[in-house]
Each structure stands twice: as structure tokens, then as C-alpha cells.
């Protein structure tokens, strides 16, 4: 035994119950990770009557269980089912009653465009962290722009729009086109080559990197990391005008200035007092980036508060209870199905035993046994009867040998009184009595005279 002072100096142990441990792990997961984006394939998809979705999200090496509650899955715009490639936004968590690690999915979309958007956001965050978007690194536009280098497709609508605007506003501005593909697998490499050519020749005052609008996939070459770094290191100022006003590319953030459209870029480069306009645009860009930065800080703060609030929100508890209800319902259905299968198997077993017993076959065998027994009984009865007849004949023969009739047949006779008494001496009758003498054949009636 430990001495009292040793017992008092032993470390205090923290003892958890299973439920408290699971609750602590769930809060740890939700508080540490927050929201995550991931891409995978749907499998084991089920949608019970509660309206919630349960499925597994997997790739070639791993899988994770997921739950998407009714309020969230009603906003899904894509078709879902096993084998579907999707991108989801989810919160890692834990289903406390079973201790299962799972994801609570809040948003789901098709993996095609969603994956490009995810790659765009990841590259944007990476380059921003490296300082490529820093307003301090932006080069100012020349105050007197006389020659513009345009990096775009030689046959595209963007070049036509730029030339039309420049011709209308200031026909003296010269344009040198560095033709390049602006869409497809080789577009990024062509754009990089054209930018390097323009910097090497050093024959223009500013470079306009542009193309018309399109989908995120069409504009994907302007989201190339290598192209972004070439734009950032360009010795000549670069203006990015990719797509429409609502379109944003990585080159828009890295370039020294962004124009919402190719026509707007041409107006910016050709208008009077272009240096003031450029400075105003530059300050607007800096203000917009500062506002974006402040907005991101507020959003990040809001996300942290939301993560702390979510585990305590009643909806979270209701979701947990709803998931537990679905789990209990699934287990009940499995139990009922198992009971039905057991009863069905027992019925088949009894039916098989009944088929093996076959009462009709037993009745046929019993009938045949009865028939054989009856035949044996008849044969036995005939045998007994025959034996009885033989014994009777033997007894008759033996009786016949000692029978008085046999004696009478040899000439003897028996005399009886009228009362049937055998007369053995003469004193038995009186004169005048009638006596009967039985012979071997027939009888004689006599009257005693003396």
C-alpha cells in the first residue's frame, strides 16, 4: 500500500464517460477545421423518409461517411446518385451515439466547374500570400501612351473591340499585336511566349492582355500560375482585361491594372489625361483590394464565431436527433427484415420436413402392412383351423375306437328302460315293462314277460 503522502502526490486522473468524450471530440473537430471543400465520388447513397441524405464520399484511396440534412440538400441543383463526382462544402464532425467520424455537408455541386473554381481559389490564396497582389508592387502606367502591345487572338472579337475604340478615341495611338491562343490546352504557353516577346523587344509603352467573355473553363488559361508569375515580373506595365465585368481571372489580380472589358481597357489607354485616369483607377483598385482584405478579415471572424455557435445551436441538436432517429429506423427495419427472413426460413424448414414425412406415403405403407397382416392372419386362421380339424378327426377316430356304437356294430346291443337307463341286470325291470334294445343298425322295442 502507498503511504498517505505518496497517495496525495500521485497525479489526478481525468475520467471521461463515453458520451462526454465523443462530445469533446466532435467540438474539437468542428472548432479546428471549420468548413472544408473536397471532391469525391458518391457511394452508398440513401434518402430515408426524413428527407436527410446519407452517403459515402470516396476517392481511389480512402472514404468518409457524410450526412446532408434536408434543409441543405433541397438547394442542390445537380443530379445525385452512386458514382456521381461532386464537390462539397462540409464541416468535419462526429456522430456521438456511435462515435463515427463523419462530414456534415452544407453545399454540393457538380465536380466539373466546382473543381475549377476550387483550383482558382486555391491559386488565388497562394499568390496573395506570396505578395503578388500587393498594391505596392504595381507599376504605374506611363503618362503618355503612344504605342500599345496587345496580347490576344488575332482573329478574336476582343482585338476588334480594342481597335474600334482606339480608332474612335485616338487614332494616333499605335497598336502592335502579339498573337496568341486564348483558349485551349496550349493557350497559357502561347500567352507566356507573347508576353516574353513583348518584354524582350521593348517596343511598346504598355501591354494589354485581353480576350472576350466565356465560361470559367474557357478562361482557365488566364488562371495559370506560370502566366501569373510572368505578368508579375514583366518589366512593362500590364493591363488585364479578360472576359466581361463579372469575370475575374488570376491575371486580373496580378496585373498592374484590371479593366472590366477589352473596350474599357482601350478607353482607359486612349482617353485624355490618361495618367490621371490611370492613377484614379490604380487608387480605386487599391481601395477595392483594401476593402476586400477588410471584408475577408470580417468574414473570417464571422466564420470563427459561427463555428463556435454552431455546436450550441438547437438546429445542430435537432440534426443529431434526426440522424439518430434515422439510425434507429434503419436498425428497426433491419430487425424486422431479419425476423421475416427467420420466419420464412423456419417455414421453409417445416415445409421441407413435412414434405419428407409425406402422410400419404405413410398411409400407403400402413395400408400395405395391414393387408399383409390380414393375409398372414387368414393364413394363420386356416392353419389353426386345419390343425383343429386334424385334431378333431384324430379325437373322433380315438372316440370311435372306444365308442359303444363300434361295439354294437360287431353284434353287440344295449338295452335301456323307457327312461333311457341302461339295463345291466334283470332286477332293474319288472314283467310287463317295455324296454328298448339298440342294435348296430336300428332299435327293437320289447315287452318283458319274465
Amino acid at each position: 500500500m502507498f503511504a498517505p503522502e505518496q497517495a496525495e502526490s500521485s497525479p489526478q486522473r481525468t475520467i471521461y464517460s463515453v458520451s462526454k468524450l465523443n462530445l469533446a471530440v466532435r467540438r474539437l473537430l468542428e472548432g479546428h477545421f471549420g468548413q472544408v471543400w473536397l471532391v469525391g465520388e458518391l457511394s452508398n447513397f440513401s434518402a430515408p423518409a426524413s428527407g436527410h441524405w446519407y452517403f459515402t464520399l470516396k476517392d481511389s484511396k480512402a472514404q468518409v461517411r457524410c450526412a446532408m440534412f434536408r434543409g441543405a440538400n433541397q438547394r442542390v441543383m445537380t443530379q445525385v446518385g452512386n458514382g456521381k463526382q461532386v464537390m462539397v462544402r462540409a464541416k468535419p464532425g462526429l456522430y456521438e451515439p456511435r462515435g463515427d467520424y463523419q462530414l456534415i455537408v452544407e453545399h454540393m455541386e457538380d465536380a466539373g466547374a466546382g473543381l475549377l473554381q476550387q483550383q482558382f481559389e486555391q491559386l488565388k490564396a497562394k499568390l496573395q500570400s506570396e505578395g503578388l497582389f500587393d498594391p505596392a508592387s504595381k507599376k504605374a502606367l506611363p503618362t503618355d501612351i503612344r504605342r500599345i502591345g496587345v496580347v490576344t487572338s488575332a482573329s478574336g472579337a476582343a482585338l476588334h473591340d480594342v481597335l474600334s475604340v482606339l480608332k474612335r478615341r485616338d487614332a494616333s495611338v499605335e497598336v502592335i499585336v502579339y498573337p496568341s491562343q486564348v483558349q485551349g490546352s496550349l493557350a497559357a504557353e502561347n500567352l507566356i511566349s507573347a508576353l516574353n516577346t513583348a518584354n524582350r523587344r521593348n517596343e511598346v509603352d504598355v501591354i494589354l492582355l485581353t480576350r472576350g467573355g466565356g465560361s470559367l473553363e474557357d478562361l482557365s488559361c488566364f488562371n495559370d500560375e506560370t502566366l501569373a508569375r510572368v505578368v508579375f515580373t514583366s518589366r512593362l506595365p500590364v493591363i488585364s482585361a479578360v472576359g466581361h465585368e463579372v469575370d475575374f481571372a488570376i491575371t486580373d489580380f496580378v496585373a498592374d491594372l484590371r479593366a472590366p472589358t477589352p473596350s474599357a481597357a482601350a478607353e482607359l489607354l486612349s482617353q485624355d489625361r490618361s495618367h490621371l485616369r490611370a492613377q484614379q483607377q490604380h487608387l480605386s483598385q487599391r481601395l477595392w483590394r483594401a476593402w476586400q482584405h477588410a471584408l475577408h478579415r470580417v468574414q473570417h471572424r464571422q466564420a470563427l464565431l459561427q463555428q463556435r455557435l454552431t455546436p450550441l445551436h438547437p438546429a445542430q441538436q435537432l440534426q443529431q436527433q434526426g440522424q439518430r432517429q434515422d439510425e434507429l429506423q434503419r436498425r428497426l427495419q433491419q430487425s424486422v427484415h431479419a425476423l421475416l427472413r427467420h420466419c420464412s426460413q423456419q417455414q421453409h424448414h417445416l415445409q421441407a420436413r413435412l414434405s419428407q414425412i409425406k402422410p400419404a406415403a405413410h398411409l400407403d405403407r400402413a395400408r400395405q402392412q395391414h393387408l399383409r397382416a390380414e393375409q398372414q392372419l387368414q393364413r394363420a386362421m386356416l392353419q389353426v383351423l386345419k390343425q383343429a380339424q386334424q385334431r378333431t378327426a384324430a379325437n373322433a377316430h380315438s372316440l370311435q375306437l372306444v365308442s359303444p356304437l363300434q361295439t354294437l356294430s360287431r353284434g353287440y346291443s344295449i338295452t335301456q328302460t323307457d327312461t333311457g337307463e341302461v339295463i345291466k341286470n334283470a332286477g332293474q325291470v319288472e314283467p310287463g315293462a317295455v324296454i328298448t334294445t339298440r342294435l348296430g343298425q336300428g332299435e327293437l322295442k320289447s315287452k318283458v314277460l319274465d
Side-chain angles (χ1 to χ4, degrees), residues 48-305:
S50 63
H52 306 325
W53 290 354
Y54 302 100
F55 53 91
T56 300
L57 198 64
K58 66 178 183 178
D59 57 21
S60 60
K61 297 181 179 179
Q63 62 182 12
V64 61
R65 290 184 178 180
C66 302
M68 191 172 191
F69 298 106
R70 180 173 55 188
N73 62 40
Q74 289 177 346
R75 297 190 296 270
V76 176
M77 304 301 295
T78 185
Q79 295 291 331
V80 297
N82 292 330
K84 178 75 172 181
Q85 289 286 338
V86 296
M87 185 175 72
V88 301
R89 185 182 73 241
K91 295 185 300 183
L94 187 80
Y95 180 50
E96 296 176 31
R98 282 203 313 263
D100 286 345
Y101 162 63
Q102 65 178 5
L103 297 180
I104 302 300
V105 178
E106 298 178 345
H107 174 77
M108 179 185 296
E109 61 189 48
D110 189 81
L115 184 58
L116 290 176
Q117 184 65 36
Q118 183 185 22
Q119 293 172 348
F120 172 87
E121 296 295 339
Q122 289 175 347
L123 179 58
K124 178 182 174 183
K126 176 183 178 181
L127 297 181
Q128 185 175 14
S129 65
E130 293 179 9
L132 271 68
F133 300 170
D134 189 358
S137 64
K138 306 298 182 183
K139 293 180 287 293
L141 296 182
T143 57
D144 186 19
I145 299 176
R146 306 309 305 163
R147 184 176 292 175
I148 302 173
V150 182
V151 177
T152 189
S153 171
S155 59
L159 179 60
H160 178 269
D161 293 341
V162 169
L163 294 178
S164 298
V165 172
L166 292 177
K167 182 179 180 180
R168 174 172 54 84
R169 294 177 61 83
D170 189 357
S172 64
V173 176
E174 296 180 21
V175 175
I176 297 179
V177 179
Y178 301 95
S180 170
Q181 294 185 22
V182 292
Q183 184 174 333
S185 59
L186 299 177
E189 182 179 349
N190 285 178
L191 292 170
I192 293 171
S193 176
L195 284 171
N196 289 332
T197 300
N199 277 279
R200 185 177 67 254
R201 292 180 181 178
N202 197 24
E203 57 190 357
V204 296
D205 300 316
V206 66
I207 299 175
L208 174 59
L209 179 65
T210 186
R211 67 149 283 165
S215 65
L216 182 61
E217 184 176 0
D218 295 336
L219 304 178
S220 61
C221 60
F222 292 88
N223 297 324
D224 182 80
E225 181 177 354
T226 305
L227 175 61
R229 297 187 184 279
V230 170
V231 172
F232 180 76
T233 57
S234 172
R235 291 186 293 110
L236 296 172
V238 178
I239 296 179
S240 176
V242 179
H244 303 300
E245 289 187 16
V246 296
D247 297 326
F248 281 88
I250 294 297
T251 55
D252 293 337
F253 300 100
V254 180
D256 301 296
L257 189 63
R258 174 192 179 263
T261 63
S263 298
E267 290 180 1
L268 180 64
L269 293 173
S270 62
Q271 61 184 341
D272 294 337
R273 299 179 181 178
S274 57
H275 61 286
L276 297 178
R277 298 286 185 177
Q279 185 178 9
Q280 180 184 3
Q281 185 72 13
H282 177 65
L283 293 175
S284 297
Q285 290 286 337
R286 291 182 60 182
L287 179 61
W288 179 81
R289 291 190 181 93
W291 177 81
Q292 285 286 90
H293 184 66
L295 179 61
H296 288 163
R297 287 203 307 270
V298 173
Q299 289 176 341
H300 180 68
R301 174 69 176 171
Q302 182 183 4
L304 292 177
L305 295 176

Side-chain angles (χ1 to χ4, degrees), residues 320-386:
Q320 288 281 337
Q321 293 298 327
Q323 188 172 0
R324 179 168 177 80
Q325 180 181 357
D326 292 335
E327 174 67 17
L328 293 175
Q329 184 176 2
R330 182 186 64 80
R331 290 171 59 186
L332 177 60
Q333 290 177 350
Q334 290 178 348
S335 299
V336 172
H337 291 164
L339 180 60
L340 290 177
R341 286 196 300 270
H342 176 70
C343 293
S344 177
Q345 292 173 356
Q346 190 174 15
Q347 179 184 2
H348 290 320
H349 177 66
L350 293 176
Q351 188 172 2
R353 289 182 59 189
L354 182 61
S355 300
Q356 293 175 357
I357 294 175
K358 295 181 180 177
H362 283 277
L363 290 175
D364 289 339
R365 287 196 297 270
R367 193 177 294 110
Q368 293 175 1
Q369 291 176 357
H370 176 71
L371 181 60
R372 287 195 296 270
E374 186 177 3
Q375 292 174 353
Q376 291 177 359
L377 180 60
Q378 289 180 353
R379 287 195 295 269
M381 290 175 62
L382 291 175
Q383 184 68 24
V384 171
L385 181 60
K386 184 176 180 181

